[in-house]
Amino acid sequence: MDKKTTIRNNWTKEEIEEIYHQPLLELIYKASTVHREWHDPSEVQISTLLSIKTGGCPEDCSYCGQAARYHTNIKVQALLPTETVIAHAQKAKDSGSSRFCMAAAWREVRNNRDFDRVIDMVKGVNELGLEVCCTLGMLTEEQAVRLQEAGLYAYNHNLDTSEQYYEEIISTRTFDNRINTINNVRNAGITVCSGGIIGLGETHRDRISMLLTLATMPKHPESVPINALARVAGTPLEDNEKVDSWEMVRMIATARIVMPSSMVRLSAGRIEMNETEQAWCFMAGANSIFTGERETLLVTPNPGVSEDMQMLEKLGLKPMKMKESSCC
């Protein structure tokens, strides 16, 4: 496949603004062209996300129903048994997933028996031949090395929003904390999964600033999730307006252009998008989705496996097969 678009890490905010604010159809056309240069447009990576420890988090992320301080209907769940997690991973693989992500509602990783159990989970899922991903909160480089040695392929740590708007959404950790964890992950030789959420009350400039941070990293994140706010009752953002689907398309298209080699993931918020709206996201350069047997994305509703497979078949898309080198 001929690659004509050069990967750049020296984008300016003005350049990304110009891309972002193009007429929508022109933006989609350009993003689709870049997508075809770097990826097979008929393939979509199917990823499964499982909450291995739910609720009770001490953070105050305004969007999150797992924060202990908010009164939501989400039940606290202790760390799942390792064998239960492996069984979920096997079922995900059988359903067409090539990546399995395990999420724990922790502020940070602690060197204790729970982390030892997560290490065992990573080893077990890796042995199934899946790309193994974790999102466990902040972690040190030494902890990242342990995960890498166990077979972890990717670590998710989203920026959430721009550095300028960050304190409006979260006060219990800083934007720099997030950057430090991403650096620790990268230094340990693990691929990076990092994106953000739109619909938090941010401006277009905040969205552009978040993309700028990602696109000017020394190496772009291998995976960039674009999430629409899932409005959870009991959280400070429960009354925010639903994100317009065209806003998701615009973000995905811009991310595709400035980070051409990355997987751009259509993540939270899909449950409120119909097939036509999701198809526009794929046309704009999205080539990865989360699906799940429980029809949830962590603790919020999400389309189920069979529904997603029917949609992909209708659109002429197929699940991406895992590369042989990905699991090592």
Side-chain angles (χ1 to χ4, degrees):
M1 193 180 299
D2 293 333
K3 298 180 176 65
K4 299 178 182 178
T5 304
T6 302
I7 292 180
R8 292 178 49 193
N9 305 83
N10 63 343
W11 292 97
T12 67
K13 191 168 188 178
E14 291 71 26
E15 287 175 318
I16 298 180
E17 282 179 338
E18 185 176 353
I19 293 169
Y20 180 92
H21 288 297
Q22 287 181 90
L24 187 59
L25 293 183
E26 182 68 15
L27 174 61
I28 293 170
Y29 172 75
K30 290 181 178 178
S32 183
T33 301
V34 171
H35 183 61
R36 281 158 172 73
E37 291 171 359
W38 284 89
H39 306 274
D40 183 342
S42 70
E43 289 187 340
V44 175
Q45 184 185 48
I46 308 299
S47 303
T48 296
L49 176 63
L50 176 69
S51 180
I52 60 173
K53 185 271 178 184
T54 307
C57 181
E59 301 270 36
D60 68 350
C61 307
S62 300
Y63 54 81
C64 186
Q66 299 197 67
R69 68 191 67 205
Y70 305 139
H71 300 290
T72 67
N73 293 323
I74 294 168
K75 294 182 179 179
V76 175
Q77 169 193 280
L79 190 65
L80 292 174
T82 302
E83 57 271 21
T84 300
V85 173
I86 303 303
H88 279 290
Q90 181 64 61
K91 191 168 184 179
K93 181 180 179 180
D94 294 342
S95 298
S97 289
S98 60
R99 175 177 289 202
F100 188 77
C101 188
M102 297 173 282
W106 292 333
R107 167 180 163 75
E108 59 199 347
V109 173
R110 298 184 183 278
N111 294 314
N112 55 22
R113 284 181 295 179
D114 281 349
F115 186 41
D116 293 339
R117 287 171 59 192
V118 171
I119 294 293
D120 289 338
M121 293 174 192
V122 170
K123 290 178 179 177
V125 175
N126 185 55
E127 288 172 0
L128 295 177
L130 289 162
E131 287 184 1
V132 195
C133 178
C134 280
T135 178
L136 312 169
M138 295 182 288
L139 79 169
T140 65
E141 187 171 337
E142 291 74 22
Q143 291 165 338
V145 167
R146 281 194 67 192
L147 288 165
Q148 189 275 335
E149 290 174 345
L152 191 72
Y153 178 75
Y155 195 84
N156 168 259
H157 204 63
N158 289 331
L159 298 182
D160 288 345
T161 188
S162 70
E163 183 175 7
Q164 296 77 17
Y165 192 63
Y166 189 85
E167 290 182 358
E168 299 295 322
I169 301 301
I170 305 161
S171 70
T172 48
R173 72 168 95 171
T174 67
F175 191 82
D176 284 344
N177 288 149
R178 292 194 180 267
I179 297 296
N180 289 340
T181 290
I182 291 171
N183 291 338
N184 291 338
V185 167
R186 184 66 79 193
N187 291 339
I190 300 169
T191 66
V192 172
C193 175
S194 186
I197 308 169
I198 67 173
L200 303 175
E202 77 287 347
T203 65
H204 290 290
R205 289 183 66 83
D206 288 314
R207 298 175 186 177
I208 292 163
S209 179
M210 181 188 72
L211 290 176
L212 176 67
T213 299
L214 296 169
T216 54
M217 289 179 173
K219 186 175 183 181
H220 295 160
E222 285 79 1
S223 176
V224 180
I226 304 296
N227 300 274
L229 173 66
R231 297 160 294 170
V232 179
T235 64
L237 302 184
E238 64 174 313
D239 294 324
N240 279 28
E241 292 184 4
K242 174 185 175 294
V243 173
D244 186 281
S245 295
W246 293 118
E247 296 294 308
M248 286 287 285
V249 171
R250 187 173 292 278
M251 277 292 289
I252 286 167
T254 306
R256 169 54 64 217
I257 291 171
V258 299
M259 292 173 280
S261 67
S262 301
M263 303 295 295
V264 177
R265 180 168 296 133
L266 174 58
S267 295
R270 281 202 305 125
I271 194 68
E272 294 191 271
M273 302 173 71
N274 60 37
E275 287 184 347
T276 302
E277 292 167 326
Q278 292 181 69
W280 276 106
C281 291
F282 295 130
M283 179 63 72
N287 60 343
S288 181
I289 59 173
F290 275 123
T291 192
E293 61 184 88
R294 295 177 171 178
E295 300 189 353
T296 59
L297 188 61
L298 291 183
V299 294
T300 57
N302 192 65
V305 178
S306 60
E307 185 180 348
D308 281 333
M309 291 304 177
Q310 290 172 15
M311 175 185 68
L312 294 183
E313 184 177 0
K314 187 180 297 184
L315 296 177
L317 300 172
K318 59 189 177 185
M320 182 182 297
K321 293 182 179 179
M322 195 183 74
K323 298 178 177 62
E324 291 297 325
S325 60
S326 294
C327 64
C328 305

